[in-house]
Amino acid sequence: MPELPLDQSLYQWCDQLVRASVEQDFAALGEAAMMLSENAGRISGPEAESALAALALVTATTVPEPALWAASAGVELIRHGAPPDQLLAPLFGSLKRMLGMAADFLETWEYCVALEMPGLETLGIIDMPPDPDAPDVIGTSPDPALIAGLQAGLVSEMSEVIPKMVSWVEEMVQNWWYLGQWVQTATALLDLLPESEPQPESQRSRAAQIPYFDEIVEAVVGLTMSDAITDLPYRCDALHDLAAALSASPVDFWTTTVLRAHLEQDGRLLAVATQRAVTAAEGRAPRDLETALEPLAEVIASAPPIIGRWVALTAGAFVEAGAPPDCLVVPVFTALRQVMELALEFAACWQETRAEALPDPEGRRPQPGTEAEHRLMVATAEKLAPGLGDRAFEVTMGWWALCTWTLPANALLSHSPRIRTLIPDPDRLTALLDDLLPTTGALAGLRHRLRHLADHLADHLAGAPGIGADAQRRNRADTSEPGDSIPVRDLGRPLVVMPCVARRGDMPSK
């Protein structure tokens, strides 16, 4: 890392930064911003405030990419203790303008696509606009052909009405290209701001900190609801992260987003939201998680088991963090009972119609939540279709989801003996476990998960800290085998690696 000789060069770098901005010498501007950013930890006190003032000035007055360098350097200074006030208005003022121009860009793009003008497609004007935040695109400059294509489309129909708009297209494309990185920089700054004490209107406490708060929130909501943005996963994720950072409670935001994604059958957004919800819940007080459980419970109650399992895992992580679990008990154990019934039907049909051993839901198989797992379930269901007909896929989903569903169920049972009194039809659960355990045979992982659940239920049935007699016998018979103990602290872990593969409308129905 190049070191900054603070005794002589700090103000020289600040001067170079501002002068380069005025002269549009972006190479010199980038050099100065990099030096200030990489040495942020060595700048403090009045020097940090002077550097931040220069960076704020450039953030407010320069075109998107170099202004982004200055804003990012300012966030680094704030991360190392500089007061943030000077950067707030320039950064969020620029962001407000760029969000507005993003909406104009999408409108212009849709207009030009609708023209179906010969030659535009070869310039890149196709149905879906580019996602500049995609890994293979981020860090590149916008393709001049896109600018030419949009300009050509506008000139063909509207040159007499809005001639100035043609010269504005280049700025509009530049804003679109760097918007995602601006959004990420603003989100990083929001994460560094101290949390305000909750007020009667809790959102107001956040709004008081952020210039242009209402305009930014309105613009972000409008963009995230746009079909065009929904089809751009990386841009969509960046905007959702910003929306969560702007909200009074990021945990509530993400759990509400889980519910919205379920209602809209947007599997990709649901996967992202469940992951973000677990992250947002880390370190939160139990009282902050209580209201966040309600939308999760609603999804668990209505989603098909292969989707609901991820939401149940998220809810289980909240319970492990101390959230009161009462609203989860009925939907989780109702879903578990349904999954167990499907799994039992799967095992019976498989053993009647197939010569091979039951497939191992805990064995070597594709990562849960991936397209590969979906293909495996389809292939497995096809083997049972002669016996189960249209229900083959639903029954197969129950078999594959069973192991995952035991985790949130065990988390709830571990929380308090009182939970046992809230479980709907616990005797039915016990009977299903008694029927399922003999089918597990050589499926060690599934057998141990089911026995762990049976032990928890027996513990509560006995109404005492000890385990019931049948459960004790099972434990003594299997103490040498792995997997008897399920670490509920790992409930959130599968969500970290679950790929976002499902698109809007791809989620299976019940």
Side-chain angles (χ1 to χ4, degrees), residues 13 26 45 53 61 81 96 141 167 237 274 296 315 317 320 326 338 359 364 388 418 447 459 491 505 507:
W13 286 116
F26 298 140
T61 58
K96 175 178 75 75
S141 299
S167 61
D237 291 349
T274 49
L296 298 182
E320 190 189 31
D326 294 40
Q338 294 168 349
R364 294 175 60 87
L388 294 174
R418 184 178 57 84
R447 183 172 67 254
D459 186 3
L491 282 171
M507 292 164 60

Side-chain angles (χ1 to χ4, degrees), residues 325-371:
D326 294 40
C327 69
L328 296 173
V329 177
V330 170
V332 166
F333 282 94
T334 299
L336 175 64
R337 187 183 70 244
Q338 294 168 349
V339 167
M340 292 170 70
E341 290 170 345
L342 291 171
L344 192 61
E345 185 177 358
F346 176 94
C349 183
W350 187 277
Q351 291 171 338
E352 289 174 5
T353 60
R354 310 294 302 178
E356 66 220 79
L358 279 164
D360 187 356
E362 285 282 272
R364 294 175 60 87
R365 66 183 181 89
Q367 183 69 39
T370 62
E371 289 181 353

